Amino acid sequence: GFDYAYLNTGVAYAQKGDLDNAIRYLQFATRINPNLKEAFQYLANIYQQKGDAKTAQEYMNKANGMK
């Protein structure tokens, strides 16, 4: 579905180093599918790269709370 399309687009942006667009698309993916664990994990990693440990931990906590 669209959730994975947005996830894949976000990952592609992250791989190119465009973290802001990566965040935007990964957040779209989580809005469509609030149980998309991979998107929350990627968001945690990206925020960690940006030096925002607090937001990174919030996203990791969400991911870790999922099956």
Side-chain angles (χ1 to χ4, degrees):
F2 284 112
D3 53 348
Y4 280 96
Y6 283 125
L7 173 70
N8 292 334
T9 302
V11 170
Y13 274 118
Q15 290 171 342
K16 288 169 56 173
D18 187 343
L19 301 182
D20 292 332
N21 272 318
I23 289 168
R24 182 177 334 150
Y25 279 92
L26 290 166
Q27 287 177 337
F28 286 152
T30 63
R31 283 189 209 117
I32 293 169
N33 182 353
N35 298 309
L36 190 58
K37 184 175 183 173
E38 299 97 319
F40 288 103
Q41 291 169 326
Y42 276 111
L43 283 162
N45 289 333
I46 290 168
Y47 276 104
Q48 191 70 42
Q49 287 179 46
K50 288 175 70 87
D52 185 345
K54 182 175 185 277
T55 303
Q57 188 61 53
E58 290 170 6
Y59 278 112
M60 192 51 70
N61 289 344
K62 287 181 185 179
N64 289 338
M66 297 177 186
K67 295 185 180 187

